[in-house]
Amino acid sequence: MKYLLILIDYNPGYIKYVINSILSVDKDSEIFLASNKKISYQNTNFINLEEVQSDDINEFKLMNIYKNTVFESNPLWINSALRVFYLNQISKKLWNEDFVHFDNDVLIYKPFSEVKKVFNYENLNITPANSKKYVFGYSFMPKNNTLDVICKNIIELSNYGIKNNWEFNNGKPYNEMDFLGAVSKKRDSLISSIPTLPYSNSDIIFDPSSYGQYLDGTHMHPKKYLRKKNIYNVNEYIGIELTSKRIRARFKDGRPFVVWEKEKFNLANLHVHSKRFEKFLPTSYKDYV
């Protein structure tokens, strides 16, 4: 299975943990690093984003939707939104094959062969945060996906937002997560939600971000031994269930899992916002890069 990581304007040292976790867990993996700057790691392939262009990418850049907003000074927002357009072009123009993509601070614990049964093979599969937002904690793009239509919808939403000064969102432009949520609300056939809670028929679930935050906090607010309060969003699906204590998240012996009604559900991935990857390495972890 192809795994695609996108790094725009940065190359964090911790990406080695992400690469190593993929190579350690999925022996059939092939890793591609897409960046606008040259990146070279052993056992990986490089895609130059400067050569991945389209009318949609150029149009979205020219919109400059974050100009004169609180988000303008942080390139994370524009780069995260552009990511969707790059995924589309790589899928459509370079590969025309199935592939997996997730954020650059995610570790995996299951090979694709063990999780492929949960996916819809006709559209974008991605982990939901709540009814209004999707997060690239884990995503799967089948060969025949809906990314092209999703990108067209993001441009339409951006034009509508600019025209109306984003008044429907308290004057703030959408971020990538908001865009995907709005597209799904408009046309729910374009995006499939990957199971994140143990209430579905799946015995494997995925972490958008909340499980990782619950277990170890965030980069700015890592979990401390004496701090009892967990850092996670109580307004997201997982946060609501953790707060109600209907479920519990644990990490033991190189495996993250969720407990519900005394039954254990393995997590296929963990979104490690704290960036303290050493605490959460899979049992099969080896250094390849």
Side-chain angles (χ1 to χ4, degrees):
M1 173 53 62
K2 284 181 166 64
Y3 288 79
L4 174 63
L5 304 176
I6 295 181
L7 302 102
I8 304 175
D9 291 333
Y10 83 128
N11 178 21
Y14 59 74
I15 198 69
K16 294 181 179 181
Y17 289 108
V18 181
I19 295 170
N20 285 331
S21 83
I22 297 170
L23 293 171
S24 298
V25 171
D26 195 335
K27 300 305 180 184
D28 295 320
S29 63
E30 189 177 7
I31 300 176
F32 290 80
L33 305 179
S35 178
N36 57 333
K37 298 181 179 180
K38 180 62 178 177
I39 295 177
S40 179
Y41 287 104
Q42 194 173 5
N43 300 305
T44 67
N45 306 279
F46 176 68
I47 296 175
N48 185 357
L49 290 181
E50 294 294 330
E51 299 174 357
V52 180
Q53 298 299 325
S54 72
D55 291 341
D56 285 349
I57 291 173
N58 293 332
E59 183 175 359
F60 187 74
K61 285 181 177 179
L62 287 172
M63 285 181 176
N64 203 5
I65 64 172
Y66 301 111
K67 186 178 180 180
N68 299 324
T69 72
V70 294
F71 308 112
E72 183 177 14
S73 61
N74 189 344
L76 169 68
W77 302 106
I78 181 62
N79 289 343
S80 294
L82 277 171
R83 181 228 311 246
V84 183
F85 293 88
Y86 284 124
L87 287 171
N88 180 40
Q89 286 305 302
I90 292 171
S91 171
K92 185 169 62 174
K93 297 290 181 64
L94 298 186
W95 288 347
N96 196 29
E97 295 181 42
D98 301 348
F99 68 96
V100 170
H101 168 73
F102 39 72
D103 283 339
N104 298 319
D105 51 0
V106 171
L107 299 179
I108 67 167
Y109 303 87
K110 294 281 186 183
F112 183 78
S113 60
E114 293 186 20
V115 302
K116 62 182 182 180
K117 62 184 179 182
V118 308
F119 301 123
N120 181 317
Y121 281 73
E122 296 181 354
N123 52 28
L124 167 63
N125 297 255
I126 186 170
T127 43
N130 54 36
S131 62
K132 296 181 178 180
K133 294 184 178 183
Y134 284 89
V135 181
F136 280 106
Y138 196 104
S139 69
F140 169 65
M141 286 75 166
K143 179 171 65 174
N144 299 313
N145 61 59
T146 52
L147 282 169
D148 201 44
V149 182
I150 289 170
C151 288
K152 299 295 184 187
N153 275 265
I154 289 176
I155 288 175
E156 288 179 11
L157 286 165
S158 297
N159 280 319
Y160 182 78
I162 293 169
K163 183 178 179 180
N164 293 277
N165 296 314
W166 300 96
E167 291 178 357
F168 53 88
N169 195 45
N170 298 316
K172 297 179 181 179
Y174 277 166
N175 60 33
E176 163 201 46
M177 298 177 289
D178 297 321
F179 274 125
L180 292 174
V183 169
S184 180
K185 184 177 180 180
K186 183 179 178 182
R187 291 185 59 182
D188 61 5
S189 62
L190 297 176
I191 297 176
S192 289
S193 295
I194 298 175
T196 60
L197 290 166
Y199 310 143
S200 65
N201 294 325
S202 176
D203 58 343
I204 299 172
I205 55 179
F206 296 77
D207 179 22
S209 60
S210 295
Y211 291 123
Q213 291 178 11
Y214 175 84
L215 290 170
D216 205 43
T218 66
H219 187 53
M220 297 299 294
H221 300 284
K223 189 174 182 179
K224 296 181 180 179
Y225 181 73
L226 295 178
R227 181 193 290 156
K228 294 184 178 181
K229 184 179 179 180
N230 295 98
I231 306 295
Y232 59 90
N233 192 330
V234 297
N235 296 313
E236 295 180 351
Y237 291 143
I238 294 168
I240 293 170
E241 299 306 296
L242 288 168
T243 301
S244 71
K245 298 184 179 180
R246 280 187 286 268
I247 61 173
R248 292 177 293 122
R250 296 287 184 268
F251 186 89
K252 185 177 181 180
D253 299 328
R255 291 282 183 183
F257 57 92
V258 174
V259 177
W260 174 54
E261 294 187 344
K262 299 182 179 180
E263 187 174 355
K264 185 167 72 173
F265 296 79
N266 290 313
L267 281 164
N269 70 307
L270 201 62
H271 201 156
V272 188
H273 275 274
S274 69
K275 310 298 188 285
R276 299 193 294 194
F277 298 96
E278 299 94 336
K279 297 176 62 176
F280 301 101
L281 301 180
T283 52
S284 59
Y285 186 89
K286 292 182 181 179
D287 287 321
Y288 289 91
V289 299

